[in-house]
Amino acid sequence: MKRISWDQYFMAQSHLLALRSTCTRLMVGATIVRDKRIIAGGYNGSISGDVHCVDDGCYVVDGHCIRTIHAEMNAILQCAKFGVPTEGAEIYVTHFPCVNCCKVIIQSGIKAVYYASDYKNHPYAEELFASAGVRVEQVELEEMILDRKNSEKLAFTASLLQKLSEAGLPEEEIRSLHDQANRLYTSS
């Protein structure tokens, strides 16, 4: 069995963290790593003890939910709270960081940002990362590699489509089923 890469492992952790998000506008997770060890994780949500967007709706001002602390900031604050240095660490985030998170990441001494999805990538954030010497790389989560039975499912689906074709199902229906299977196996 082939093991998943470190990048895929840490990105998967960030996607799991995002499932804890309490903001209904966008679920984001962040994992801070040093020397291939997770040192903190965060997701976007309200401050501890306050109401959450999922309960009372987002508190939107100028197009931004001001109730929410971003995942990257929550992870960095977790390090600060427990005295864990971030200098030289890396951060894995489900979405490209906003300008404010970019500045916090740079100031915290994090040396690399790995993100899965583009999200309103601001040119100024990209410029700041570049001028600060922070490595930025897109690492999309390959969800199918997390499914240990993926190969068997793909083979089974291909076999079914082949049998339907041999049974005389019209080609356009086979193509439609094939397209549906592709969307199912490749959706995120």
Side-chain angles (χ1 to χ4, degrees), residues 1-187:
M1 177 178 93
K2 183 181 173 203
R3 296 193 306 170
I4 64 173
S5 72
W6 285 110
D7 285 340
Q8 289 294 300
Y9 173 74
F10 296 128
M11 193 57 73
Q13 295 294 322
S14 294
H15 280 274
L16 284 173
L17 283 162
L19 296 175
R20 292 279 307 153
S21 174
T22 61
C23 186
T24 56
R25 292 166 49 100
L26 185 67
M27 297 173 74
V28 180
T31 304
I32 301 177
V33 174
R34 186 179 35 257
D35 300 325
K36 301 218 182 325
R37 300 292 177 261
I38 296 171
I39 60 173
Y43 52 87
N44 57 332
S46 302
I47 63 170
S48 297
D50 198 15
V51 297
H52 296 279
C53 299
V54 294
D55 301 323
D56 280 7
C58 290
Y59 185 179
V60 179
V61 175
D62 295 329
H64 300 282
C65 179
I66 63 171
R67 183 187 316 275
T68 299
I69 300 171
H70 290 188
E72 303 92 325
M73 288 192 199
N74 265 330
I76 291 167
L77 288 168
Q78 186 181 84
C79 286
K81 185 175 185 177
F82 295 106
V84 178
T86 54
E87 184 71 35
E90 302 170 317
I91 190 166
Y92 288 78
V93 190
T94 56
H95 297 77
F96 189 86
C98 71
V99 173
N100 284 329
C101 287
C102 162
K103 292 186 283 188
V104 170
I105 288 167
I106 292 167
Q107 288 298 98
S108 72
I110 289 174
K111 67 178 181 177
V113 174
Y114 301 97
Y115 70 97
S117 300
D118 288 317
Y119 182 73
K120 299 180 182 179
N121 300 28
H122 198 284
Y124 185 55
E126 293 171 346
E127 179 185 321
L128 285 174
F129 280 139
S131 67
V134 174
R135 179 179 174 184
V136 178
E137 183 179 323
Q138 188 170 19
V139 176
E140 294 181 31
L141 178 64
E142 297 169 25
E143 294 170 2
M144 290 187 350
I145 66 172
L146 300 178
D147 182 353
R148 300 186 77 183
K149 298 215 179 264
N150 182 60
S151 296
E152 293 91 341
K153 290 176 185 177
L154 289 172
F156 177 74
T157 302
S159 172
L160 281 177
L161 290 173
Q162 180 62 37
K163 287 180 182 187
L164 288 170
S165 179
E166 291 169 1
L169 195 67
E171 184 63 33
E172 59 274 359
E173 288 185 50
I174 296 288
R175 189 177 334 276
S176 174
L177 291 170
H178 182 271
D179 291 345
Q180 284 179 309
N182 275 342
R183 283 192 300 278
L184 179 64
Y185 284 121
T186 60
S187 68

